[in-house]
Amino acid sequence: MADFETLRRALARKEGVPATVAHSDGGARQWISDELRGRAQDLGTVRRAQGRAWMRVLGGRALVVLWLLVSVLVLVQALTAIGAGWTASRTAGIVAAVVVAGALSVVGWAARDNGGVFAPVRGLDGRLSTSKAIAALWMVALVYVFAFLGMRLAAASGSGERDLLLDRLGDIALDQLSLVAAPLLTAVAVRRIVGDKVGRRVLQKLRADQASLRDLVTDDAGRASFVDAQYVLVNLVAVGFVVVGLARDPDRLPDIPATLVALAMVSVVTYLAGKLAENDRPVILSVVRVRSRGDLDSAVRQGDDIEVRGINLAAGGSDAPDLLARVVVKFGAVHVHVPLVPTDVGFTNPSDGCVVVPVPVEVEPGRVELCVVSASGVESAPYEIQIAT
C-alpha cells in the first residue's frame, strides 16, 4: 500500500510519465490511469488475501477473550463467596457460562476460515450484519438463561423446590416472548428485504474483505447510521436488563417493564422502516461538457470530456483503488472505463457525485444514451445526450 501511495503521489505530479504521451493531457491521463489500474488490481489481490488471514486471526482472538471472560466470572464468584458462602446459583452460573463458551467454541472452530464465531453474523457482503448480530446476542442470552435455570432445577433439593422452579419457568409473559422473538424475526425480514433490493438493483452491496464491530453501527460507506445505532443500543440495554434481573433473582425469569418492551418494539419498527426506505442506486442528474482553460463554449463532440453529475455513482465503500477502477460509463454499445485521476491524498475521479470521461470516437454523432455502472455492478437508468458533428 505504501508503494502504491508513493506511485500515486508521483503520478499526480506527472512524474515518470513517458515523453511520448506527456505532451498530450488526454494521453498522459490515460497512461496514468492504466498504470494505476494495473497496480490497483495487484493491490486488491493482496488486500483480499490479507483480509482472509485477518478474519482467521480475529476468530481465534475472540475465542481467547471469551474464555478469559469465563475465567473472570469464576474468579469473581470465588472472591464474592468468601464470607457469604458458596451457593447452587454460583455453580449454575459458572456451568451455564462454560456451556455457552463451549458452544461458541465449536462454532468458531467449524468456521475458523471465515471469521470463527463471527461467521454466523456476517452478511452476504462480508460485513457484520446488525440484524444477525442482535439476533445472535439474544440467542446466546437465551442459551445462558435456560442453561442456568436448568442447572438450578437439577440442583434443587426437594420436589417442592423443583415444582416451584417449573411453575416459574412455565410462567412466560407475552412481553418476554415478544422481546426475544422480535429480533429473530427482524433478522429474517431484513435478509429478505436486502436480498430483494439487491435483486431489483436499487441497493448496492460491495464485498468487504474484513469485518469489524463498527459495521454494526455504520453503513457500507463507513458513515454512522442512526437506524442501526439505536437498534443496537436498545437491544443491549434489554439484554443487560434480563441478565441483571436473573442475577438478582436466580429462581425465576426476570419481569420486563412494559416501557422497555414498548421501546424495543419501536426500535424494531424504526430499524425495519429504515431498511425498507434504503435506496442507493446510482442516479444521473445531468451531463455537461468539461471546459478547459482558454477553450470556447460549444456542444459536446467526439473526443470531448464530459462530466456526469449524480449520486451514488461509484458506490458507498468503494474507496479502494481497485474498486474505483471498476466504474464504467456505457455510451450505447461502447464501454468506457472511467480514468483514475490521482491526487496526493486520493482520487478526484471517479467519485460518488461526479464522473469525468472522454466521449469515444466510436460513438456516432446524434442522440445517444449513456449510463454509469458503479463499482458494485449496479447500472443507472439511461440518460440521453446529444453529440454534435
Side-chain angles (χ1 to χ4, degrees):
M1 188 64 190
D3 292 341
F4 180 84
E5 290 179 350
T6 301
L7 174 65
R8 187 196 64 216
R9 287 191 293 267
L11 293 180
R13 298 187 293 268
K14 294 187 177 181
E15 297 176 359
V17 178
T20 54
V21 297
H23 65 280
S24 170
D25 290 339
R29 183 182 63 183
Q30 188 61 49
W31 186 91
I32 291 173
S33 178
D34 291 342
E35 186 71 14
L36 289 174
R37 191 184 304 275
R39 298 292 184 92
Q41 291 173 351
D42 297 338
L43 183 64
T45 302
V46 175
R47 192 187 69 249
R48 286 187 288 273
Q50 182 186 15
R52 291 190 294 269
W54 168 246
M55 291 308 301
R56 288 193 292 270
V57 172
L58 189 63
R61 290 180 180 178
L63 291 180
V64 172
V65 171
L66 180 65
W67 285 103
L68 283 177
L69 291 176
V70 175
S71 303
V72 170
L73 175 63
V74 173
L75 180 61
V76 170
Q77 293 283 31
L79 293 176
T80 55
I82 299 175
W86 193 267
T87 62
S89 296
R90 297 181 186 275
T91 302
I94 293 176
V95 173
V98 171
V99 169
V100 171
L104 291 177
S105 297
V106 172
V107 173
W109 181 85
R112 58 189 179 276
D113 292 332
N114 194 31
V117 294
F118 296 106
V121 297
R122 294 183 73 183
L124 297 177
D125 57 358
R127 297 175 177 85
L128 293 186
S129 168
T130 303
S131 58
K132 288 183 178 180
I134 295 301
L137 177 64
W138 276 107
M139 288 302 300
V140 170
L142 279 178
V143 171
Y144 178 83
V145 168
F146 282 101
F148 177 84
L149 294 176
M151 286 300 302
R152 291 284 292 115
L153 187 63
S157 57
S159 59
E161 185 179 357
R162 285 195 293 270
D163 291 340
L164 180 61
L165 283 171
L166 287 174
D167 291 340
R168 289 178 173 178
L169 284 174
D171 188 20
I172 299 178
L174 180 61
D175 55 355
Q176 295 171 329
L177 182 62
S178 60
L179 192 63
V180 175
L184 303 180
L185 295 175
T186 299
V188 177
V190 168
R191 180 180 177 86
R192 182 68 181 87
I193 291 170
V194 172
D196 179 67
K197 285 180 174 287
V198 172
R200 291 189 292 112
R201 297 184 296 177
V202 297
L203 186 64
Q204 303 189 62
K205 283 292 180 182
L206 280 169
R207 178 74 183 179
D209 302 313
Q210 297 182 9
S212 63
L213 290 178
R214 66 173 177 268
D215 295 339
L216 301 179
V217 294
T218 59
D219 59 14
D220 292 350
R223 300 182 295 261
S225 171
F226 168 76
V227 172
D228 292 350
Q230 61 86 27
Y231 185 64
V232 171
L233 181 60
V234 170
N235 280 277
L236 284 177
V237 171
V239 170
F241 190 92
V242 171
V243 173
V244 171
L246 184 66
R248 290 177 61 87
D249 188 357
D251 295 331
R252 62 183 302 172
L253 293 174
D255 294 327
I256 310 298
T259 304
L260 181 58
V261 175
L263 181 61
M265 295 303 104
V266 170
S267 177
V268 167
V269 172
T270 303
Y271 182 70
L272 288 176
K275 292 300 178 182
L276 287 170
E278 194 173 9
N279 186 335
D280 64 351
R281 182 179 183 179
V283 177
I284 300 175
L285 300 178
S286 62
V287 177
V288 298
R289 176 179 178 271
V290 176
R291 179 179 176 274
S292 59
R293 181 178 300 179
D295 192 9
L296 298 176
D297 294 324
S298 65
V300 176
R301 292 182 171 83
Q302 295 170 324
D304 288 345
D305 286 342
I306 59 171
E307 185 178 283
V308 182
R309 300 173 182 174
I311 55 177
N312 305 318
L313 298 180
S318 58
D319 297 330
D322 59 308
L323 298 179
L324 290 175
R326 297 180 185 176
V327 181
V328 174
V329 176
K330 296 167 61 176
F331 294 83
V334 181
H335 297 190
V336 179
H337 288 80
V338 177
L340 298 174
V341 180
T343 65
D344 287 340
V345 295
F347 295 91
T348 58
N349 189 55
S351 67
D352 265 354
C354 179
V355 171
V356 177
V357 291
V359 178
V361 295
E362 290 83 1
V363 177
E364 297 294 334
R367 292 191 174 276
V368 61
E369 288 186 343
L370 64 83
C371 62
V372 176
V373 181
S374 70
S376 66
V378 178
E379 189 173 299
S380 69
Y383 190 95
E384 189 177 85
I385 64 172
Q386 177 71 36
I387 298 179
T389 56

